[in-house]
Amino acid sequence: FFSSRRRHTRYISVTGVQTCALPISVLYLKARSSKNIRYDVQIPEKPVFINGTPALLDWVFENLIKNAIDAMDGKGRIQIILKPVDALVFIEITDTGKGIPRGDFKRIFKPGFSSKSRGWGLGLSLSKRIIEDYHKGKIEVKQSQLNKGSTLQVVLNQSED
């Protein structure tokens, strides 16, 4: 199931139960969030493999979902879609929260930027570093409307299983 390519990097199944970064994060946070938040998770039945570090990817997905929960003030819907397309894997996390002003789409990934009264503004900057520098992927605000919600997209390279 695992095969090592280089130190600290393994092939992981994004959708496989035992090493699954995304579904484990969803299950963990769903159990700890408001019952007024609905989760819609769309992942393919066939495992999707990426070359990555499970603990780091777990942390990124957990951070993105926590941010979505915070943006909704305890009530709303989170949609998570994982879609393999050719050699890439697209992961979209959409919430029905406050939204992000267009001028902040890039700024939210800068260290120290936060729209919350608590926190240090490090979560998204670390997420960006983990996805882009360590996993050679991309993270961005795909779309957002004030008072309607946001979609953040993570794009990772798919690997052979």
Side-chain angles (χ1 to χ4, degrees):
F1 198 61
F2 285 123
S3 73
S4 188
R5 270 254 166 124
R6 64 179 191 228
R7 191 167 174 242
H8 302 299
T9 303
R10 301 179 189 148
Y11 281 103
I12 64 164
S13 166
V14 174
T15 56
V17 174
Q18 291 178 351
T19 58
C20 170
L22 192 54
I24 287 174
S25 295
V26 172
L27 291 172
Y28 173 80
L29 291 169
K30 186 176 182 179
R32 287 157 181 79
S33 62
S34 167
K35 302 301 177 216
N36 295 321
I37 296 178
R38 293 186 334 266
Y39 290 81
D40 175 18
V41 181
Q42 300 173 26
I43 57 176
E45 287 189 27
K46 183 180 174 191
V48 176
F49 293 92
I50 60 168
N51 192 19
T53 303
L56 292 176
L57 292 172
D58 279 343
W59 188 89
V60 168
F61 295 133
E62 189 173 310
N63 183 63
L64 295 178
I65 296 167
K66 278 183 186 175
N67 284 348
I69 291 168
D70 289 346
M72 295 187 297
D73 291 328
K75 182 178 179 183
R77 179 172 167 253
I78 296 175
Q79 181 180 50
I80 300 162
I81 300 173
L82 185 147
K83 191 171 25 178
V85 178
D86 299 323
L88 300 174
V89 178
F90 293 83
I91 301 153
E92 294 180 359
I93 299 174
T94 302
D95 65 61
T96 56
K98 298 173 186 156
I100 302 165
R102 189 156 198 66
D104 288 342
F105 280 19
K106 292 197 184 308
R107 284 185 49 215
I108 65 169
F109 296 104
K110 301 285 183 201
F113 179 87
S114 181
S115 62
K116 302 175 193 176
S117 58
R118 58 174 172 74
W120 294 46
L122 296 176
L124 287 174
S125 66
L126 289 173
S127 294
K128 183 176 179 72
R129 187 170 178 196
I130 289 166
I131 294 298
E132 295 187 357
D133 295 345
Y134 194 79
H135 290 91
K136 305 303 179 210
K138 184 173 172 96
I139 185 171
E140 65 182 353
V141 177
K142 183 176 180 183
Q143 67 83 28
S144 186
Q145 287 185 286
L146 292 178
N147 302 313
K148 294 199 178 203
S150 303
T151 299
L152 271 73
Q153 178 175 261
V154 174
V155 182
L156 296 166
N157 294 305
Q158 196 169 172
S159 66
E160 302 296 319
D161 53 309

